[in-house]
Amino acid sequence: MPKRTLQGVVVSDKQAKTIVVRVDRRFTHPIYKKTIRRSKNYHAHDESNEFKPGDVVWIEESKPISKLKRWVVIRGEHKKSA
């Protein structure tokens, strides 16, 4: 079975070698037929402490690394500074 891959935005990089990634999903409400946005935070392993808040990253499922980390950053795009 292939590993799941999600795209999200970094919201925190305060921990060593760990980032918190917010992943948004959109779906239609079954009764009201209105599009709803829901988000969830994932702790992901960032070996080189490369990513900062605002960066877009892709994370992939992995075996448990710590109590909360089950995802690893596979690639990312740094936020453009104006």
Side-chain angles (χ1 to χ4, degrees), residues 13-19 44-49 65 69:
D13 65 344
K14 302 245 184 258
Q15 304 170 55
K17 297 186 179 183
T18 303
I19 58 175
H45 185 66
D46 177 19
E47 183 65 38
S48 57
N49 287 324
I65 300 166
K69 284 197 286 186

Side-chain angles (χ1 to χ4, degrees), residues 10-59:
V10 178
V11 291
S12 174
D13 65 344
K14 302 245 184 258
Q15 304 170 55
K17 297 186 179 183
T18 303
I19 58 175
V20 179
V21 180
R22 186 187 72 234
V23 176
D24 293 321
R25 65 184 183 93
R26 292 172 56 172
F27 63 96
T28 304
H29 190 280
I31 296 173
Y32 300 121
K33 308 301 183 205
K34 187 175 175 86
T35 302
I36 302 172
R37 216 170 47 196
R38 291 277 185 254
S39 63
K40 186 172 178 181
N41 287 343
Y42 294 94
H43 291 250
H45 185 66
D46 177 19
E47 183 65 38
S48 57
N49 287 324
E50 177 184 355
F51 298 103
K52 303 295 176 206
D55 294 347
V56 176
V57 295
W58 283 261
I59 57 176

